[in-house]
Amino acid sequence: MPSPTTIIGLEVHVQLQTRTKIFCGCANRFNPDEPNVQTCPVCLGLPGALPVMNRRALELSVRAGLALSGTIAGLTKWDRKQYYYPDLPKAYQISQYDLPFCQGGHLDVDVEQENGEIQSRHIRLIRVHLEEDAGKNLHDESGRGGDSRVDLNRAGTPLLEIVSEPDIRSAAEARRYLEEIRLLMVYLGVSDCNMQEGSLRCDANVNLEISNSANESIRTPIVEVKNLNSFRGVEAALVYEISRQQREFEQCGGIYADTAKQTRGWDADRGVTFAQRGKEEASDYRYFPDPDLLPVSFSDEWIEIQRAELCEPPADRRRRFVAELGLSEYDAGVLVDRGRETADYFEAVATACGDAKQAANWVTQDVLRELNEREETIESFPIDAQGLASLLGMITSGDLTTRSGREVFSSLMNNQGGDGSIVERIASIVEERGLSAVADSGALETVIDAVISRNEKAAEDFRGGKDAAIGKLIGEVMREVGGADPNAVRETLISRLRP
Ligand code: ZN
Ligand code: MN
């Protein structure tokens, strides 16, 4: 029996990084500590209050749509999607129904297959539209039957919804797709995509195509898993749901009593999906155009202005780092996936020092290690790109050994070298510690000869075959000439003692 085909489509919700909400002047800010303070008659849904569209939300949305290669509509409009929830005081959500601002588009993602090969997957998009977020219901989870409360700080937050075609073929692929959407949105400055704060959430539609015993191809009923808010959650929920649908198919032989789409939730603690409700059809929502908001038209000039604001997408940047700068796929991925500022920092170091591979080694290892330890971001990193580039330049030119370079690096991290520019501080650290590599080997040899004559016993032991005795000699030379390359010292000593 052929193995089943997994069919997944994702609906991704991204909160936009605007200063104010989408239809009122309330602050758009994550604020769970003071419920209901970022509210006004508009986002509370009071009678007679009228929405006013946030222009910035449309700009960011159109940039996202362009970056996803979608077609921006000349005319778009707002529709009311009716449903009742305690966290939706108007009893309708302002959304976009039949004229979304963006149609089509796609996102290409590299996905590691089960055999370890990287495959580029082309995920088509159906549409991207803009809507308002709802508030939040806060339920007492102590089990002692406390109150449920409603916090409307989030009500009216601009929300971008990116709907994919069912082109995703595995749970791992869904995760990669979501990771790439997140990175793109963060690069564009469209959203902070902070998943702990709910700025990026997704619903996953999944079913399987399986051959039954008569060799007919059967599709299992579609399940929508709602409100997944972590990468791990998306992957784990889909892995679970795929095997649940397979088990169910084996039990019923592909004959289902109810083939309607079902909505399920994800219980991360128990690692299972659970039935919630029958999924509404679009007709249940009774969409109709919002009479309080005018349709919006975009001129070609305005769309081009938005296009000019786009940055190089992360996928292009990874490819360029590999093709033009000679980085490994792995290093390019680490640098780009860490965020736009880190990639910019690396690129500035690489350009200034002229050695991209060395710059990549230092940024991916030394710089990122320090950032992780200090839990800081690259913006507050104490060594600027020019400073790191000049340090790397001294290593390349042989003025410093790699070992001394690391010593200077950690001295800089510990705020040593005075309070001049990084370049000045490097010079004073090198000077203070005598780290400058000995330019003429003659000077090094003089020190080595002196060390040998002071340590006759160790020298004799080494001549007599006791290899370990050389350690003491190397140590003493290095103490005198801090910047010397230990390998060169070892070689010179050996040539002197065992000619
Ligand atoms: Zn408001
Ligand atoms: Mn939605």
Side-chain angles (χ1 to χ4, degrees):
M1 203 166 76
S3 60
T5 302
T6 302
I7 304 163
I8 299 170
L10 292 190
E11 292 170 18
V12 180
H13 284 98
V14 178
Q15 285 183 348
L16 298 180
Q17 225 166 193
T18 52
R19 201 171 48 77
T20 55
K21 293 185 180 180
I22 183 168
F23 297 122
C24 64
C26 291
N28 172 23
R29 184 166 60 87
F30 180 69
N31 180 11
D33 300 327
E34 302 166 278
N36 297 308
V37 295
Q38 285 148 225
T39 53
C40 72
V42 173
C43 54
L44 289 174
L46 299 187
L50 289 173
V52 178
M53 194 194 72
N54 181 334
R55 193 185 167 86
R56 180 73 180 157
L58 267 183
E59 289 175 4
L60 296 180
S61 299
V62 166
R63 287 177 202 170
L66 290 169
L68 291 163
S69 314
T71 305
I72 305 301
L75 183 78
T76 189
K77 70 175 174 69
W78 304 100
D79 300 282
R80 292 185 177 181
K81 181 182 182 180
Q82 334 279 329
Y83 60 98
Y84 173 82
Y85 259 117
D87 60 9
L88 189 71
K90 298 194 299 294
Y92 61 84
Q93 177 191 27
I94 304 177
S95 181
Q96 301 197 289
Y97 181 47
D98 54 340
L99 281 178
F101 77 87
C102 175
Q103 304 221 37
H106 61 86
L107 188 70
D108 293 323
V109 284
D110 289 339
V111 186
E112 189 171 339
Q113 304 298 305
E114 273 168 26
N115 62 12
E117 266 173 44
I118 303 285
Q119 200 191 329
S120 179
R121 299 276 302 129
H122 182 77
I123 313 297
R124 293 168 303 154
L125 303 180
I126 297 173
R127 57 187 273 159
V128 186
H129 69 254
L130 184 56
E131 59 190 24
E132 59 178 341
D133 208 343
K136 250 188 212 169
N137 295 321
L138 308 167
H139 302 296
D140 180 61
E141 284 170 358
S142 67
R144 289 191 293 273
D147 293 340
S148 284
R149 294 159 192 233
V150 179
D151 176 7
L152 295 173
N153 279 348
R154 194 177 74 176
T157 295
L159 203 58
L160 200 63
E161 179 169 336
I162 303 166
V163 184
S164 86
E165 292 278 2
D167 283 350
I168 300 168
R169 290 289 164 268
S170 71
E173 211 167 292
R175 180 192 180 130
R176 278 292 304 122
Y177 167 83
L178 191 61
E179 286 172 343
E180 198 65 15
I181 291 231
R182 178 188 173 278
L183 196 63
L184 180 60
M185 295 301 135
V186 173
Y187 264 65
L188 292 170
V190 159
S191 172
D192 64 14
C193 290
N194 186 328
M195 295 180 97
Q196 282 83 40
E197 298 181 356
S199 309
L200 177 69
R201 302 163 345 235
C202 113
D203 304 330
N205 287 280
V206 54
N207 69 333
L208 306 175
E209 192 175 294
I210 312 182
S211 298
N212 67 7
S213 48
N215 217 14
E216 298 159 322
S217 170
I218 305 282
R219 289 198 169 195
T220 61
I222 297 175
V223 165
E224 179 170 5
V225 188
K226 282 294 220 185
N227 268 322
L228 299 164
N229 53 15
S230 72
F231 295 124
R232 193 190 307 176
V234 169
E235 191 168 7
L238 284 167
V239 166
Y240 177 86
E241 189 54 33
I242 289 163
S243 69
R244 191 195 66 78
Q245 290 188 22
Q246 206 162 349
R247 272 198 314 278
E248 191 179 67
F249 176 88
E250 282 155 16
Q251 278 157 15
C252 73
I255 298 159
Y256 293 89
D258 181 9
T259 55
K261 182 169 164 175
Q262 196 191 68
T263 300
R264 296 180 75 90
W266 168 241
D267 183 332
D269 295 330
R270 292 192 299 141
V272 297
T273 62
F274 56 93
Q276 283 184 320
R277 57 183 156 97
K279 172 70 180 168
E280 298 81 359
E281 298 294 320
S283 59
D284 296 328
Y285 290 120
R286 292 292 184 270
Y287 280 99
F288 73 89
D290 193 308
D292 291 340
L293 287 159
L294 287 169
V296 183
S297 60
F298 304 124
S299 69
D300 292 346
E301 290 83 356
W302 185 82
I303 292 171
E304 288 318 306
I305 290 168
Q306 302 315 315
R307 194 192 302 279
E309 294 292 324
L310 299 183
C311 64
E312 182 181 33
D316 292 14
R317 203 154 192 194
R318 276 188 220 106
R319 264 193 296 279
R320 186 166 59 78
F321 281 1
V322 171
E324 290 178 15
L325 301 180
L327 264 51
S328 66
E329 305 259 358
Y330 179 81
D331 281 351
V334 170
L335 291 164
V336 170
D337 294 357
R338 184 82 191 204
R340 188 172 165 185
E341 289 74 16
T342 307
D344 287 346
Y345 178 87
F346 154 74
E347 229 181 322
V349 176
T351 308
C353 81
D355 184 345
K357 278 188 182 170
Q358 195 190 25
N361 284 338
W362 278 75
V363 176
T364 58
Q365 291 165 32
D366 305 71
V367 175
L368 291 188
R369 186 196 57 237
E370 292 286 345
L371 289 178
N372 291 340
E373 279 171 11
R374 293 163 176 246
E375 294 180 17
E376 277 175 14
T377 59
I378 194 77
E379 290 95 322
S380 58
F381 193 64
I383 306 176
D384 60 21
Q386 290 304 321
L388 183 59
S390 86
L391 181 61
L392 301 192
M394 290 166 81
I395 296 171
T396 309
S397 67
D399 292 342
L400 279 180
T401 63
T402 301
R403 185 168 163 277
S404 301
R406 291 229 145 77
E407 196 176 329
V408 173
F409 181 83
S410 72
S411 303
L412 289 170
M413 292 307 297
N414 293 322
N415 298 318
Q416 289 164 358
D419 31 46
S421 70
I422 300 287
V423 174
E424 287 161 4
R425 287 169 57 201
I426 292 172
S428 85
I429 292 165
V430 168
E431 164 83 37
E432 223 167 81
R433 303 185 171 216
L435 292 177
S436 185
V438 184
D440 69 299
S441 52
L444 182 59
E445 283 172 16
T446 312
V447 174
I448 284 176
D449 289 339
V451 168
I452 289 174
S453 59
R454 281 208 305 272
N455 293 278
E456 259 173 43
K457 166 124 178 56
E460 210 41 59
D461 285 349
F462 185 75
R463 282 198 194 93
K466 252 180 92 180
D467 288 353
I470 201 172
K472 180 175 164 49
L473 302 172
I474 295 174
E476 240 182 80
V477 176
M478 294 301 295
R479 262 192 298 282
E480 262 181 63
V481 194
D485 175 357
N487 288 326
V489 172
R490 172 186 294 274
E491 277 164 27
T492 314
L493 276 166
I494 292 174
S495 69
R496 277 282 190 288
L497 298 169
R498 292 180 185 165

